[in-house]
Amino acid sequence: MDSGTHRRCTKCVLPGTVPFLELDESGVCRHCRALVVIQEQPSRERLERLVSSLKRNDRGEDCIVTLSGGRDSSYVLHYAVKELGLRPAVMTYDWGMLTPTGADNQRKMIASLGLREIPVADNVDLKRRNIRRNILAWLHRPALGIVPLSG
């Protein structure tokens, strides 16, 4: 920390408090340094051509966008609707670790954009039991870089 402020990766803005982040002299974290860009980002024109080829279903929807309630998926949904003019159906998924804030964000985004939600929920009780078992097993030999949360 420099004079009371947290250092962050200059590319992905992860805070320096993340275990094993290892910021280099340029402030870039090890995850960003290891990232290999497989495909270049499509241009706005290419996205617009792709969008123009979509056909709407009988409900007036032309695609499906998944929404976790986090900032990344919320931005993707906003961009799809407001910038690209799409009318998506919105798929949400509760796997047992959806926070109240995430669920609230999902509801607000879907309602504010006037979209239809396709809710999918797994066997939440089973998932939570499995997550609990994974964490209890991890506590016998913890490694900060790996915390097993899959259910």
Side-chain angles (χ1 to χ4, degrees):
M1 288 192 278
D2 299 328
S3 64
T5 62
H6 292 286
R7 289 188 62 206
R8 292 184 174 274
C9 175
T10 56
K11 289 190 176 224
C12 69
V13 301
L14 277 174
T17 55
V18 171
F20 310 111
L21 194 66
E22 301 170 12
L23 297 171
D24 68 11
E25 62 279 349
S26 301
V28 178
C29 74
R30 71 183 185 98
H31 303 295
C32 288
R33 289 192 308 270
L35 180 67
V36 176
V37 178
I38 297 170
Q39 181 181 9
E40 62 179 75
Q41 197 165 10
S43 67
R44 172 77 183 221
E45 293 76 28
R46 186 171 172 208
L47 282 173
E48 288 173 350
R49 276 196 313 273
L50 176 64
V51 165
S52 69
S53 70
L54 298 174
K55 299 195 179 353
R56 298 210 166 179
N57 65 13
D58 56 349
R59 290 188 173 123
E61 301 159 337
D62 43 28
C63 64
I64 295 175
V65 173
T66 57
L67 179 65
S68 70
R71 66 180 144 202
D72 293 342
S73 65
S74 295
Y75 178 75
V76 167
L77 182 60
H78 165 83
Y79 190 87
V81 174
K82 298 296 186 179
E83 299 294 323
L84 297 176
L86 292 170
R87 179 96 182 136
V90 181
M91 191 196 92
T92 59
Y93 176 60
D94 184 358
W95 63 286
M97 294 294 286
L98 179 63
T99 65
T101 301
D104 192 41
N105 289 346
Q106 288 175 338
R107 281 190 297 276
K108 286 177 181 176
M109 286 290 298
I110 292 166
S112 71
L113 296 170
L115 302 173
R116 178 175 69 99
E117 179 183 10
I118 303 170
V120 177
D122 213 325
N123 182 335
V124 173
D125 290 334
L126 175 64
K127 290 289 186 180
R128 287 183 178 156
R129 277 195 307 274
N130 288 340
I131 291 166
R132 179 177 167 73
R133 287 180 189 141
N134 287 341
I135 291 174
L136 290 173
W138 175 82
L139 286 171
H140 290 287
R141 288 187 62 185
L144 289 179
I146 302 170
V147 180
L149 292 180
S150 63

